Amino acid sequence: MAIRHFLSTQDWSRTELDALLARAAQFKRNKLGDDLKGKSIALLFFNPSMRTRTSFELGAFQLGGHAVVLQPGKDAWPIEFELGTVMDGETEEHIAEVARVLSRYVDLIAVRAFPKFKDWAVDRQDHVIHSFAKYAAVPVINMETITHPMQELAHILALQQHFGTTVPGSSPAQALRGKKYVLTWTYHPKPLNTAVANSALQIATRYGMDVTLLCPTPEYALDRRYLDFAKQNVAENGGSFAISHDVDAAYRGADIVYAKSWGALPYFGNWEAERPIREAHKHFMVDERKMALTNNGVFSHCLPLRRNVKATDAVMDSPACIAIDEAENRLHVQKAVMAALARDPGLGTRDS
Ligand code: CP
């Protein structure tokens, strides 16, 4: 049987994503179930986490399953991912054994593996999670690599639930069509992963919104793969996609402002050269003046968020901020994904 992994929402049809979101909404109303009774998931963290680890562990527990957390290189052996390597360095075992052994123990494997931030041409191959998918005999779930699909689902559910209840008569699937969505870069003292920005771009265009990617300069545009996904999604689902460097024009009339910081790809591995550009754009912080330009818009962020660097206290504490709802939804959407993959590891093939 072919195994169906959850590495990117782009591999899943709108029908399938809508079904997962509907199931997540049910879990939000009734949190307990037996969908994972007698089943287990290995959660492999190559990078830190608060929300992802907590929500996956609790989600498995609430569905009657068990989660095992492993941090390779810390509490588990460091893993080799290259083929044909003479393993006389720091790594103790090869992904070929790790993924195969875990597949004999657990029903699902989830992986968090951020880029190494030295060479984007290498990082964009997403080698770690694809290696798990290659050798595992059970479904592999992306807990954030160069995209963050679980955050995407949580984000869309939060938006659907906000706009579905504020626009009379609209169904969740229709609630976001035609909304003006701004994905804004924000300052951060360090160059961060593009994963959430890539994800926001692909899921917002998937749900028929008019999407603007607001960033300081053309160098902060995202990888061509995700720009192409955005264009493909617009062609298939309606809406629009544009890149802007004009802060006020982008915010004006927006229904949704989603913020994220990321490092400029042309400077990957040469971050000292990027620093002056980043430092010159601290004014991209989401504040009350910018939010006042919106159409009574909502604000969200994947968290963690540095207050008064990425967004002001006033924005974070305002009724417009739905970041906590989005974070809560991580629990519900991940339960929907785990339940679906554990029930049917093949899950058919993509239908659109
Ligand atoms: N948003 C998110 O993935 O949070 P953590 O990094 O805390 O898991």
Side-chain angles (χ1 to χ4, degrees):
M1 178 184 64
I3 298 294
R4 191 85 187 276
H5 304 293
F6 209 119
L7 306 186
S8 166
T9 54
Q10 289 292 135
D11 301 332
W12 290 67
S13 72
R14 257 297 299 268
T15 306
E16 291 172 323
L17 297 179
D18 287 343
L20 289 170
L21 290 168
R23 187 76 181 105
Q26 289 173 349
F27 281 132
K28 194 164 185 165
R29 292 190 291 273
N30 300 299
K31 72 178 184 179
L32 300 180
D34 60 4
D35 304 66
L36 296 181
K37 189 175 176 189
K39 302 205 174 193
S40 54
I41 181 168
L43 307 175
L44 286 99
F45 285 96
F46 292 83
N47 306 94
S49 165
M50 194 276 269
R51 279 145 289 273
T52 304
R53 176 175 174 170
T54 310
S55 53
F56 262 104
E57 279 200 66
L58 284 175
F61 169 75
Q62 290 172 3
L63 296 185
H66 182 74
V68 179
V69 175
L70 298 165
Q71 300 175 88
K74 291 186 181 164
D75 59 15
W77 301 116
I79 304 171
E80 178 61 55
F81 288 92
E82 298 309 317
L83 279 175
T85 303
V86 177
M87 290 173 53
D88 58 359
E90 294 302 310
T91 53
E92 288 294 342
E93 58 179 333
H94 198 272
I95 181 62
E97 284 74 58
V98 174
R100 286 168 176 152
V101 169
L102 286 175
S103 298
R104 300 281 178 101
Y105 296 149
V106 300
D107 301 277
L108 302 166
I109 296 172
V111 178
R112 167 167 283 198
F114 291 174
K116 299 275 188 272
F117 290 99
K118 289 197 170 70
D119 183 350
W120 177 243
V122 173
D123 282 336
R124 78 188 295 280
Q125 295 171 22
D126 223 359
H127 186 49
V128 169
I129 198 158
H130 282 112
S131 298
F132 273 97
K134 175 179 173 183
Y135 292 109
V138 298
V140 174
I141 299 171
N142 183 345
M143 298 196 293
E144 191 177 354
T145 59
I146 57 170
T147 61
H148 200 347
M150 298 301 113
Q151 194 73 46
E152 290 177 49
L153 295 179
H155 181 47
I156 286 296
L157 184 60
L159 294 178
Q160 285 182 338
Q161 296 201 315
H162 177 82
F163 288 103
T165 53
T166 54
V167 180
S170 80
S171 73
Q174 297 168 332
L176 304 182
R177 186 161 295 284
K179 294 288 176 210
K180 185 173 178 198
Y181 182 104
V182 178
L183 166 61
T184 179
W185 179 92
T186 54
Y187 171 78
H188 188 284
K190 298 179 198 161
L192 300 184
N193 195 355
T194 54
V196 171
N198 294 334
S199 276
L201 202 58
Q202 59 187 16
I203 202 69
T205 50
R206 204 76 188 283
Y207 276 79
M209 292 189 263
D210 291 321
V211 177
T212 300
L213 168 60
L214 171 64
C215 55
T217 68
E219 295 154 305
Y220 285 83
L222 297 168
D223 184 89
R224 173 59 51 195
R225 180 191 295 149
Y226 302 101
L227 300 180
D228 287 346
F229 277 146
K231 290 175 193 159
Q232 175 191 324
N233 291 342
V234 165
E236 290 176 1
N237 300 286
S240 61
F241 171 57
I243 299 176
S244 173
H245 310 300
D246 183 333
V247 173
D248 284 10
Y251 272 76
R252 201 164 286 123
D255 298 297
I256 298 145
V257 176
Y258 200 51
K260 185 69 185 73
S261 187
W262 63 89
L265 297 179
Y267 293 92
F268 232 74
N270 184 20
W271 296 115
E272 278 312 305
E274 188 237 17
R275 183 187 296 275
I277 313 173
R278 197 156 22 93
E279 296 288 329
H281 291 89
K282 291 184 177 176
H283 59 282
F284 269 63
M285 178 170 61
V286 183
D287 59 20
E288 306 86 289
R289 187 196 70 80
K290 296 186 190 76
M291 289 304 294
L293 296 173
T294 68
N295 178 30
N296 196 25
V298 294
F299 168 75
S300 197
H301 186 279
C302 62
L303 306 178
L305 176 141
R306 293 191 184 210
R307 280 178 174 235
N308 304 310
V309 173
K310 288 178 164 182
T312 59
D313 285 330
V315 169
M316 290 305 292
D317 293 330
S318 74
C321 179
I322 60 168
I324 305 300
D325 296 330
E326 180 172 325
E328 180 199 322
N329 287 347
R330 292 289 305 277
L331 179 62
H332 312 307
V333 301
Q334 289 159 193
K335 284 159 75 172
V337 170
M338 286 191 286
L341 290 174
R343 183 179 63 244
D344 178 6
L347 268 181
T349 52
R350 189 180 159 156
D351 61 1
S352 69

